[in-house]
Amino acid sequence: SSFALLPQADDPVGLGTWIELAVDNITLQPRTQAEIPFLVRVPRDASPGDHAAGIVAQNVATESEIDAQGVGIEIRRRVAARVYLRVDGPLAPELVVSRVIVDTDIEPFAPFVGENRGVVTFEIRNVGNTRITPSARLRLEGLFGRSVYDSGFEELKELLPGSSVILQRPLRGLPAAEL
């Protein structure tokens, strides 16, 4: 769920197509900097909510190295700046939890003494139109609504609209009668 950009060979999409740089190429001397203006043209039919893109600068000179196995590697140095833009209109923040899988390993001779283990895997998807930095809490209830596990709240990384994160949480010491 980190900020990732499309591969260099792919054409830009969304906000990436709305950005126009003042120059395509610039030559800088070592230890110098330059400000490069850019313009964002938002189309009339742009969907409301948050949009993200990046502006990438790449050193056109590549380096070549040989790794430990004797394989040639080409190194390209790139840096990027994030661009966030919010288009006016109705905002609809919404997260969906899906693909919940509980995998348990119940000890055959100790089903009620709390030696059982498991893993819970689940996906959190941002199906809304705003950036969200959620917190997650995994709570398992057993018989009669009794709490058998509570992870407490955990801050997650930012989720952009359309992105998701898959979380896995180990479980230990659960009574088998509750699984």
Side-chain angles (χ1 to χ4, degrees):
S1 81
S2 62
F3 192 88
L5 299 173
L6 295 173
Q8 184 177 1
D10 289 3
D11 290 331
V13 296
L15 175 55
T17 63
W18 308 347
I19 298 172
E20 297 175 21
L21 296 173
V23 295
D24 288 332
N25 293 298
I26 188 168
T27 301
L28 296 175
Q29 295 302 314
R31 299 178 191 256
T32 61
Q33 64 184 19
E35 290 185 21
I36 301 173
F38 65 94
L39 177 68
V40 178
R41 294 185 193 274
V42 180
R44 291 190 185 279
D45 62 347
S47 60
D50 293 335
H51 298 265
I55 297 175
V56 180
Q58 176 177 308
N59 185 347
V60 294
T62 59
E63 300 173 33
S64 297
E65 292 185 7
I66 305 296
D67 72 4
Q69 288 77 30
V71 176
I73 300 172
E74 185 177 273
I75 300 171
R76 296 180 184 187
R77 302 204 186 268
R78 302 171 77 191
V79 295
R82 295 178 186 188
V83 178
Y84 293 117
L85 179 114
R86 177 168 283 177
V87 175
D88 271 349
L91 299 180
E94 184 178 354
L95 293 174
V96 171
V97 177
S98 62
R99 297 174 45 189
V100 178
I101 300 168
V102 180
D103 184 20
T104 59
D105 181 17
I106 298 173
E107 296 289 329
F109 299 110
F112 299 99
V113 294
E115 298 298 322
N116 302 295
R117 291 178 281 221
V119 174
V120 175
T121 304
F122 56 101
E123 178 181 29
I124 299 176
R125 286 184 299 129
N126 183 348
V127 297
N129 66 356
T130 61
R131 297 183 300 161
I132 299 176
T133 304
S135 58
R137 175 183 181 198
L138 177 61
R139 185 171 182 270
L140 301 177
E141 292 181 358
L143 296 173
F144 311 110
R146 184 175 78 87
S147 178
V148 295
Y149 179 84
D150 191 337
S151 69
F153 286 97
E154 170 188 358
E155 291 293 320
L156 302 179
K157 291 183 180 179
E158 174 181 80
L159 291 175
L160 297 172
S163 65
S164 66
V165 62
I166 295 176
L167 301 173
Q168 261 192 347
R169 297 297 176 259
L171 306 172
R172 295 184 187 266
L174 299 177
E178 304 285 351
L179 299 175

